[in-house]
Amino acid sequence: MESFICHEGVVLPLDRVNVDTDAIIPKQYLQSTARTGYGPFLFDSWRYLDPGHLGMDVGQRRLNPDFIMNEPRYAGASILLSRNNFGCGSSREHAVWALLDAGFRAVIAPSFGDIFYNNCFQNGLLPAMVAEADCEALFAWALCDAPASPRLLVDLRNTTIQRADGTGQPVGFAIEPFRREALLRGLDAIGETLAKAERIAAFEARHRQAMPWLFATETS
Amino acid sequence: MTLYDKLWASHMVDELPDGSTLLYIDRQLLHEVTSAQAFATLAHTGRTVRRAASQLAVEDHNVPTTGLEVTDPLAQEQLAALRSNTSRFGITEFAMGDRRQGIVHVVGPEQGFTLPGITIVCGDSHTSTHGAFAALAFGIGTSEVAQCLATQCLVVRKSQNMRLVLGGVPHPAVSAKDVILWIIGRMGTAAGTGAAVEYAGPYVERLSMEGRMTMCNMAIEMGARVGLCAVDDSTIAYLENRPMGPRGRLWEQAVALWRTLHSDAEAHFDREAHWDVSALAPQVTWGTSPEQVIAIDERIPDPAAQQDSKRREAMQRALDYMGLNPGQAMTDVAVDQVFIGSCTNGRLEDLRQAAAMVAGKRVAPTVRRALVVPGSGEVRLRAEQEGLDRLFRDAGFEWRLPGCSMCLGMNEDRLAAQERCAATSNRNFEGRQGAGGRTHLVSPAMAAAAAIAGRFVDVRHWP
């Protein structure tokens, strides 16, 4: 997995609560068996005025001028700012893949759906959890007060978010130490777990004694 | 200890210095939409499946429900990938046409693959359903599907303990679906975030396993990855003689252990709420989040009355999307389609409740399509043995083959833009059942009655 240490980029303020993973990447794109190629379809039904499907030429589609992602000011955004319960709903990891594929490296919100939150760490996307008041202030800045193309600096080493132009006070974000460590080092979860093979085997042997019916069809 | 604490403790392989846990996963359910990339990860990294017998695959999300021929080339590709991956690693798969095939969360319990006291995961958020059997069950992403295949373990962090204690006896036409929708309406879609929710109290104790599954299924709709119910006589009775469950001496041994799977009297819960459901009316969602729900005899709320500006904007956006006005009576809202099915309400008991509403009646001519999609081949067969299919067909419903169908509209079963649907599924998100489609979540009885009346009606007064 790619590591995350520090990232500077344009922030896209998506001012909605409960942004669900169906909205992040609609069902018709879940038919792909790849991990890439979802970026053009991120926020599909908000971003475009016409219906989309896999394999189409996105360049021919009609953009929704009212959707903030299509405003020139936020072009090339790589940090997403949103509201409570971001990524709720379906477990589809495609939501994370779509954000990454569209160039996003971090999502800032006061709270996240549990499964989406977990999926972020499997892919090196940073979900930065900020206090409601800090979130409000970031929105006010990114939507109104900021210069053209508002840029933020998200630093996982000291868990802070600050304006790239150096103005204002940095705000902190919450992240569990083990998650932070894994992201900083870009750990491979499977590799790490396989390194515990002996412990797993020992547990399995005890477990087989405790619940033999779960192993009835397997020979030991 | 709480039930959740017990399940956690019995599956801890290792406590890591950073506070996370290496948790052993007993069983995993696989389906065609979230597994292909996981198998590809194994292939890329030269890893293999640790315990094929702990895995069970079904075809459900993408399958057509009108026949066994798959015409969509992308669906074909996903199904072919699942078949080749499962056969390569010796994993049991229930393919289309097999009477055991159906929605993962209907098939698991039905086959006895889901058992009390186990950890069970699936690349699907509604895996919480299996918690009705006192199993620690939760949805995961594709990367974790791969990790589970390769290592039989996940690195996880323990959630908080939350308990909802429910009492009271509601009107017989008010179901577990109404109760869970009402709770989500009261508590919000993020009330359970970071928690495992145990449903307890006299209402839950009287509830059938099907009803408990409906409640656990929608735990994720209040933000909780895990829903749980304690083991009791209903749990044991449901599981006896299931094809993949234990038999004979192992059955006796299993039951003895299962009987201990409940929260202790002095167990501590981080969050707790008590609700009385006696006076509950049937519920209908009016917006695009499951928390936007009202009773059938209520009027659609007015955003202007909402103090919180974010909430007010979200309400207005939902009303605009749904094509509804504040103050409108829910019973004045007409529907274009009706969908009865899904992992929330696609079981035999659900179909019985729906069929009872339609016997001897006809679907309203204004309803373009009314679908009944059994949750599995077994459900379909047993419903046919009881003659439920005849009741539905005679009333003008389409009687389909099992699958996820219009719950998420990955196959051909979809809403057209601005079409309004009474659905027994679990999500009313924008575009969930088809781009621009408008979903109202209801119980099976409410959906069936809406098909007959052509609009939402109060099933407590259904003739």
Side-chain angles (χ1 to χ4, degrees):
Chain A
M1 186 189 76
E2 201 179 332
S3 66
F4 186 107
I5 296 165
C6 186
H7 177 78
E8 188 197 311
V10 173
V11 59
L12 171 68
L14 180 62
D15 195 3
R16 296 188 186 216
V17 292
N18 295 327
V19 173
D20 59 75
T21 53
D22 274 81
I24 298 172
I25 185 84
K27 90 279 289 17
Q28 65 267 37
Y29 306 108
L30 271 52
Q31 290 191 317
S32 164
T33 53
R35 277 174 180 261
T36 53
Y38 301 100
F41 309 113
L42 177 70
F43 299 125
D44 196 80
S45 50
W46 294 339
R47 193 169 159 191
Y48 302 102
L49 294 169
D50 48 5
H53 57 83
L54 272 175
M56 75 188 304
D57 178 5
V58 182
Q60 301 300 309
R61 295 184 71 182
R62 287 187 295 130
L63 291 172
N64 175 6
D66 297 331
F67 186 52
I68 194 155
M69 192 177 176
N70 294 329
E71 289 181 24
R73 185 181 181 195
Y74 303 107
S78 57
I79 299 168
L80 185 68
L81 175 65
S82 193
R83 299 279 182 183
N84 268 312
N85 207 22
F86 185 88
C88 62
S90 160
S91 66
R92 58 189 70 168
E93 198 162 315
H94 311 66
V96 173
W97 299 335
L99 283 161
L100 284 170
D101 201 53
F104 287 93
R105 291 300 322 275
V107 184
I108 304 168
S111 64
F112 294 90
D114 279 352
I115 305 177
F116 173 84
Y117 188 73
N118 214 44
N119 286 340
C120 286
F121 293 100
Q122 305 289 338
N123 295 277
L125 179 70
L126 171 68
M129 219 180 277
V130 293
E132 295 250 16
D134 290 336
C135 185
E136 194 59 54
L138 285 169
F139 264 107
W141 178 75
L143 284 169
C144 306
D145 310 336
S149 294
R151 297 180 73 83
L152 288 175
L153 179 69
V154 181
D155 195 332
L156 184 57
R157 291 165 301 192
N158 53 17
T159 59
T160 57
I161 299 165
Q162 61 189 97
R163 298 178 197 164
D165 62 12
T167 64
Q169 287 295 312
V171 299
F173 61 89
I175 185 168
E176 291 158 323
F178 86 102
R179 306 247 197 215
R180 178 175 165 274
E181 190 63 23
L183 261 189
L184 284 171
R185 292 167 58 197
L187 293 180
D188 163 23
I190 299 182
E192 293 286 303
T193 305
L194 284 173
K196 304 246 173 200
E198 277 181 31
R199 274 186 172 273
I200 298 170
F203 174 88
E204 213 162 53
R206 292 197 304 276
H207 200 49
R208 192 187 276 259
Q209 295 290 317
M211 302 188 191
W213 54 91
L214 298 181
F215 298 82
T217 59
E218 295 161 272
T219 50
S220 50
Chain B
M1 285 174 104
T2 65
L3 170 57
Y4 176 65
D5 293 338
K6 291 180 185 181
L7 294 169
W8 189 272
S10 62
H11 289 84
M12 250 169 45
V13 173
D14 198 9
E15 275 183 289
L16 308 175
D18 55 27
S20 62
T21 299
L22 190 62
L23 197 72
Y24 190 79
I25 303 302
D26 289 308
R27 292 187 167 176
Q28 176 163 247
L29 288 157
L30 302 163
H31 63 84
E32 74 276 22
V33 172
T34 58
S35 67
Q37 292 91 338
F39 282 106
T41 299
L42 294 192
H44 290 153
T45 51
R47 288 163 178 152
T48 187
V49 175
R50 183 181 168 90
R51 279 180 64 204
S54 74
Q55 314 279 338
L56 176 65
V58 296
E59 302 174 351
D60 60 358
H61 279 63
N62 231 334
V63 300
T65 57
T66 44
L68 296 178
E69 197 195 342
V70 183
T71 50
D72 180 343
L74 292 165
Q76 269 175 1
E77 199 182 311
Q78 277 192 327
L79 293 167
L82 184 67
R83 289 171 194 176
S84 88
N85 284 324
T86 51
S87 87
R88 177 153 152 235
F89 291 105
I91 294 169
T92 302
E93 185 193 334
F94 300 153
M96 289 172 65
D98 188 317
R99 64 179 276 181
R100 300 167 297 179
Q101 175 264 340
I103 308 172
V104 272
H105 311 309
V106 176
V107 172
E110 192 171 74
Q111 295 297 323
F113 184 74
T114 304
L115 295 171
I118 67 169
T119 45
I120 180 166
V121 295
C122 174
D124 189 282
S125 62
H126 291 108
T127 309
S128 56
T129 310
H130 308 264
F133 294 86
L136 178 50
F138 53 94
I140 56 176
T142 296
S143 295
E144 288 183 318
V145 171
Q147 172 157 12
C148 234
L149 287 167
T151 71
Q152 212 70 38
C153 290
L154 288 175
V155 179
V156 278
R157 183 118 184 148
K158 200 173 173 203
S159 299
Q160 285 196 323
N161 278 290
M162 177 168 167
R163 179 161 62 178
L164 296 179
V165 183
L166 307 174
V169 180
H171 188 283
V174 172
S175 71
K177 179 64 164 293
D178 299 300
V179 172
I180 189 64
L181 282 173
W182 179 76
I183 291 171
I184 295 167
R186 301 297 289 263
M187 301 186 70
T189 46
T193 301
V197 178
E198 180 176 344
Y199 302 102
Y203 174 75
V204 179
E205 287 159 21
R206 279 190 294 269
L207 207 54
S208 65
M209 291 314 295
E210 286 82 355
R212 293 178 196 181
M213 281 190 258
T214 301
M215 296 203 55
C216 287
N217 173 276
M218 290 195 69
I220 188 69
E221 258 54 70
M222 64 170 130
R225 267 177 108 174
V226 171
L228 285 168
C229 295
V231 168
D232 64 8
D233 290 342
S234 305
T235 323
I236 308 289
Y238 179 99
L239 289 169
E240 200 159 6
N241 294 319
R242 296 280 162 183
M244 299 174 95
R247 298 291 167 102
R249 192 182 55 79
L250 281 176
W251 166 259
E252 300 301 329
Q253 200 182 340
V255 169
L257 186 141
W258 294 346
R259 291 279 184 194
T260 68
L261 296 173
H262 51 77
S263 290
D264 297 330
E266 71 284 3
H268 169 74
F269 287 87
D270 305 292
R271 313 178 206 172
E272 189 162 53
H274 293 250
W275 301 106
D276 187 313
V277 300
S278 312
L280 218 64
Q283 305 286 304
V284 187
T285 62
W286 57 266
T288 53
S289 165
E291 71 185 15
Q292 292 172 324
V293 62
I294 53 175
I296 180 67
D297 52 8
E298 285 184 287
R299 288 176 181 275
I300 290 167
D302 189 348
Q306 175 58 244
Q307 301 288 315
D308 182 86
S309 68
K310 288 294 145 219
R311 231 162 231 279
R312 189 163 60 237
E313 283 166 28
M315 283 175 77
Q316 191 56 55
R317 188 180 295 125
L319 287 177
D320 293 344
Y321 180 86
M322 294 297 288
L324 296 170
N325 296 309
Q328 212 174 338
M330 206 67 232
T331 46
D332 287 340
V333 176
V335 300
D336 306 302
Q337 290 211 47
V338 171
F339 170 61
I340 298 171
S342 86
C343 58
T344 311
N345 281 129
R347 300 179 186 83
L348 189 59
E349 182 184 275
D350 303 311
L351 301 192
R352 283 181 187 144
Q353 287 168 2
M357 297 289 133
V358 310
K361 301 187 174 70
R362 288 289 303 171
V363 169
T366 49
V367 172
R368 184 170 80 80
R369 186 164 70 174
L371 286 186
V372 184
V373 186
S376 72
E378 289 286 348
V379 169
R380 187 168 194 266
L381 210 69
R382 290 184 57 194
E384 286 173 357
Q385 284 162 359
E386 292 183 14
L388 302 185
D389 61 320
R390 283 255 59 92
L391 293 177
F392 283 121
R393 285 184 209 264
D394 289 349
F397 284 80
E398 293 180 34
W399 179 248
R400 294 290 188 87
L401 296 172
C404 296
S405 178
M406 211 161 71
C407 172
L408 82 166
M410 274 196 75
N411 68 355
E412 298 79 0
D413 308 334
R414 278 181 216 157
L415 295 182
Q418 300 187 358
E419 263 193 327
R420 190 179 300 286
C421 181
T424 66
S425 44
N426 41 57
R427 288 188 176 135
N428 51 348
F429 299 157
E430 286 182 22
R432 171 78 177 181
Q433 294 191 286
R438 295 163 171 169
T439 303
H440 295 269
L441 304 176
V442 287
S443 72
M446 284 288 285
I452 303 299
R455 59 186 176 81
F456 291 106
V457 289
D458 189 338
V459 289
R460 290 175 301 178
H461 313 303
W462 190 244

